[in-house]
Amino acid sequence: MDLTRKVAIVTGASKGIGRATVEALLERGAAVAGWARTAPEGLTHDRFQFFECDVQDEHSITEAFTNTQRELGPEIHVLVNNAGLGIMGDIDGFKVDDWKTMFDTNVLGTFLCTRAVLPQMKKQQLGHIINVASLAGTAGTAGMAGYCATKFAVRGFSDALFKEVRPAGIRVTCVMPGSVETNFNGNEPGAEPDPYKMTPESVAEAIVHAIEAPDTTMISEIQLRPAQVK
């Protein structure tokens, strides 16, 4: 898809992979709606609009979607379901509220945002949905059972969804990064990033690569790993 003058929604847009994806899409000429609970600090662009949104809340998503269409137009070409969180801990001491928070954000939020955009994408017979999962959705890890369960769910949802919406001209890609460096090491400005982790920008470039694939091609899954290991 040529992203020039296309409209993209990115959830979890305030920092990390979400913000990097917003910036990468803007560089390609897209108009971008950033959905998050807080606005990305210092990000201003004439093709960027921020809409406060809690992806755990259906009403909040409906309001953000209505506002996006009002400000950027009715057509929605790309949805990047990036909003997510991880709470680690052993199962025998895991809090039920933390379990629900992860599932409501990582899984329910992905479903609700996807459901919001699908009618318009089907009307257009065009669209691309990117679901950001994790390599934790491919193999379990001790102390991360809850997080792994949510990412396995996102991967399964993505696999079923692409088969469901493919006939309508909608592409679905599940992006599964490994370790990503979302902050510099240490507190001093200019500290070097961890060489054993990927940057948010590198994940954003993979997302854009999938979107810009030729119209005859759908990249259904992308697994990303740091190039170096300890």
Side-chain angles (χ1 to χ4, degrees):
M1 182 191 298
D2 180 357
L3 284 163
T4 306
R5 294 185 295 278
K6 297 296 192 300
V7 175
I9 296 169
V10 179
T11 71
S14 60
K15 57 186 178 179
I17 294 170
R19 177 172 180 144
T21 301
V22 168
E23 293 174 347
L25 291 169
L26 289 171
E27 287 176 4
R28 301 311 203 280
V32 183
W35 292 8
R37 288 178 294 181
T38 57
E41 186 176 348
L43 178 56
T44 57
H45 195 286
D46 59 1
R47 284 184 276 106
F48 175 72
Q49 293 274 346
F50 170 73
F51 302 97
E52 185 176 348
C53 181
D54 180 355
V55 299
Q56 300 181 52
D57 183 82
E58 183 176 1
H59 175 74
S60 181
I61 290 169
T62 299
E63 186 174 9
F65 185 68
T66 299
N67 292 337
T68 296
Q69 289 189 304
R70 184 187 68 243
E71 297 296 327
L72 300 181
E75 293 192 347
I76 305 295
H77 303 96
V78 175
L79 168 65
V80 181
N81 281 312
N82 165 73
L85 58 86
I87 302 171
M88 312 311 169
D90 294 341
I91 287 299
D92 57 359
F94 211 84
K95 296 179 181 178
V96 172
D97 285 347
D98 287 344
W99 185 273
K100 289 181 177 178
T101 296
M102 274 200 299
F103 270 86
D104 285 351
T105 304
N106 300 358
V107 185
L108 179 64
T110 296
F111 157 69
L112 290 174
C113 292
T114 299
R115 191 180 64 171
V117 305
L118 276 180
Q120 179 61 40
M121 287 186 174
K122 286 182 176 179
K123 182 179 179 181
Q124 298 163 186
Q125 292 286 289
L126 175 68
H128 200 139
I129 297 168
I130 302 283
N131 294 327
V132 179
S134 168
L135 289 182
T138 66
T141 300
M144 295 176 59
Y147 180 72
C148 290
T150 66
K151 294 305 184 178
F152 266 87
V154 170
R155 188 184 186 191
F157 174 74
S158 302
D159 189 50
L161 180 66
F162 101 72
K163 294 166 184 173
E164 179 179 323
V165 301
R166 195 180 191 180
I170 301 168
R171 296 190 287 185
V172 178
T173 304
C174 185
V175 177
M176 294 170 281
S179 299
V180 179
E181 181 66 76
T182 55
N183 295 293
F184 287 110
N185 291 336
N187 298 319
E188 295 298 322
E192 292 294 324
D194 188 336
Y196 303 107
K197 293 185 179 181
M198 296 175 290
T199 65
E201 290 75 19
S202 64
V203 180
E205 285 300 316
I207 289 170
V208 170
H209 170 72
I211 297 169
E212 291 184 330
D215 292 341
T216 55
T217 303
M218 177 174 63
I219 300 172
S220 57
E221 287 193 346
I222 300 177
Q223 294 188 15
L224 301 165
R225 292 173 171 81
Q228 299 183 48
V229 294
K230 292 182 181 180

